[in-house]
Amino acid sequence: MKIFVGNVDGADTTPEELAALFAPYGTVMSCAVMKQFAFVHMRENAGALRAIEALHGHELRPGRALVVEMSRPRPLNTWKIFVGNVSAACTSQELRSLFERRGRVIECDVVKGGICVG
């Protein structure tokens, strides 16, 4: 099962560190760490569900609570767009409204360092 792990500091977190964090819940097949998120692949669904329940909100680093959830595939015929250099005062709703002028917005998330609109 593929697990999404958000609010990760990719410059400071290794795949080995995440694998060790998830290992008590089941067999970790692989870990991939990006800039602010990661994916952990676990062999057993039951172990993955236990890890999600136990580690969601866990602070891997002080003040950085992890977002741990099942990875969801993107809906067909959609695209994820990274929008950088956005004012810290801009809300996801303001950005959503701007993009909805051009078409349907499935999801709009504020992330550190930018905003993703999908």
Side-chain angles (χ1 to χ4, degrees), residues 1 3 25-29 41-50:
M1 176 178 279
I3 300 170
Y25 304 98
T27 304
V28 176
M29 302 299 293
H41 293 257
M42 296 189 72
R43 182 181 306 248
E44 305 89 14
N45 286 350
L49 293 173
R50 285 192 307 272

Side-chain angles (χ1 to χ4, degrees), residues 9-89:
D9 182 357
D12 208 23
T13 303
T14 66
E16 295 79 16
E17 183 178 21
L18 277 183
L21 182 66
F22 279 78
Y25 304 98
T27 304
V28 176
M29 302 299 293
S30 66
C31 291
V33 178
M34 288 31 150
K35 287 183 180 181
Q36 295 152 351
F37 62 94
F39 290 105
V40 176
H41 293 257
M42 296 189 72
R43 182 181 306 248
E44 305 89 14
N45 286 350
L49 293 173
R50 285 192 307 272
I52 290 168
E53 185 171 323
L55 297 175
H56 181 73
H58 174 79
E59 288 192 8
L60 187 60
R61 302 282 182 270
R64 288 188 76 118
L66 296 178
V67 175
V68 182
E69 58 190 31
M70 269 194 292
S71 179
R72 298 181 308 259
R74 195 170 334 142
L76 294 175
N77 300 316
T78 63
W79 296 267
K80 185 172 280 190
I81 302 168
F82 173 79
V83 181
N85 202 23
V86 175
S87 166

